[in-house]
Amino acid sequence: MACDDCTTGFAWDGKPSGTEAMLASNNTYLVGDSEEYAVLIVADFFGWTMNNIRLLADHYAKTLNATVYVPDFYDGEVMHPDTLSDPERQKAFDREAWLARNSREKRWPEVKACAQALKAQYSRVAAVGYCWGGWACFQLAADPSLVDAIATAHPGLFDKNDVDSVKVPIQLIAPEDDFTFTPELKQYCFETLPKTGVQWEYVYFAGYRHGFASRGEIDTVKGRAGMERARNCVVHFFEEFLQ
């Protein structure tokens, strides 16, 4: 990952309505009161405290009648929200060092433990990941005992082996311009997922860039339309496979 699209974007206005709790061993943003359905959100570089991701959690909790969890998978490290619009903060951010601290190998046990904790409590569990969270959702999708369905928008850090391993329904939200979900990976998904036997859905967003679903410019007509469409896609997909 070497693209500025991972650290740029727009902060959204609004006050999240949830609380903070623990899930497995992770600090977690929690919203909703369902005793049957849970949604696990795996956030991007900005982490569990980002206002945008918490507002998305609130929306999923309300529209899906689910309890939604956004765990901290970065040991308390969060990116300052001003980084979205501050070139100096963006320049100072060392992606390679961050990724070394938060590699797949290091964070997977935490992601798995959180999913297991939810599965032990709820009848059905879905997961949605943004950017860095994409690989985590793919890896969860390889084990039906962990989740019942996944969705991911502009997913990062996954590979062809992850696509081969999918065993639960999967939704892919794909902007036209995305350095992580490359044309090669998109083509591989088209060729491979039909052979898995799982239900799958690919939603293409012409004219949009990596990050639009969680950090898009919603003060513009196009930006809001893209975010809302992506958000609604997740809701409709989970309505079918979560409930």
Side-chain angles (χ1 to χ4, degrees):
M1 282 188 173
C3 180
D4 288 341
D5 284 346
C6 285
T7 55
T8 59
F10 300 86
W12 302 344
D13 291 331
K15 184 177 181 180
S17 61
T19 60
E20 295 183 1
M22 296 294 293
L23 177 63
S25 299
N26 297 69
N27 289 315
T28 299
Y29 177 72
L30 168 65
V31 60
D33 58 7
S34 173
E35 296 181 355
E36 291 186 81
Y37 310 121
V39 175
L40 175 67
I41 297 182
V42 188
D44 61 19
F45 282 21
F46 283 84
W48 74 298
T49 62
M50 188 188 189
N51 203 56
N52 297 13
I53 211 74
R54 292 188 173 196
L55 292 173
L56 284 170
D58 287 3
H59 184 81
Y60 294 142
K62 181 178 179 180
T63 54
L64 290 167
N65 294 318
T67 304
V68 181
Y69 296 78
V70 187
D72 168 25
F73 290 123
Y74 310 142
D75 285 339
E77 180 181 0
V78 296
M79 194 179 298
H80 196 287
D82 288 350
T83 307
L84 289 167
S85 57
D86 186 339
E88 292 304 314
R89 287 183 182 272
Q90 294 160 15
K91 188 184 302 184
F93 178 65
D94 188 335
R95 287 183 188 80
E96 295 308 313
W98 189 96
L99 288 170
R101 293 191 299 273
N102 299 289
S103 66
R104 288 183 56 151
E105 293 74 20
K106 181 174 182 178
R107 298 306 179 190
W108 169 244
E110 297 176 42
V111 174
K112 182 179 180 181
C114 285
Q116 288 175 324
L118 294 179
K119 263 299 193 179
Q121 182 176 351
Y122 295 90
S123 59
R124 296 188 71 80
V125 176
V128 54
Y130 297 89
C131 186
W132 185 91
W135 73 265
C137 286
F138 265 97
Q139 198 158 339
L140 287 169
D143 188 346
S145 73
L146 297 176
V147 291
D148 297 288
I150 68 121
T152 180
H154 32 81
L157 297 179
F158 76 102
D159 57 29
K160 292 179 180 179
N161 289 332
D162 294 313
V163 180
D164 293 338
S165 301
V166 169
K167 294 183 176 64
V168 302
I170 175 174
Q171 180 187 69
L172 302 168
I173 295 174
E176 178 179 4
D177 185 1
D178 191 346
F179 76 104
T180 63
F181 197 7
T182 63
E184 180 185 9
L185 279 173
K186 290 172 181 174
Q187 184 61 37
Y188 193 77
C189 287
F190 297 151
E191 295 171 354
T192 304
L193 288 174
K195 302 174 185 177
T196 64
V198 304
Q199 297 297 321
W200 67 284
E201 182 174 281
Y202 175 89
V203 191
Y204 181 67
F205 286 76
Y208 289 88
R209 295 173 62 88
H210 178 89
F212 82 98
S214 57
R215 291 176 270 112
E217 187 178 9
I218 63 172
D219 289 337
T220 67
V221 172
K222 178 182 176 181
R224 178 171 287 276
M227 181 280 289
E228 290 182 346
R229 180 180 169 217
R231 189 181 65 183
N232 291 340
C233 285
V234 174
V235 170
H236 294 154
F237 193 72
F238 284 172
E239 280 177 339
E240 180 175 0
F241 296 107
L242 181 63
Q243 300 176 359

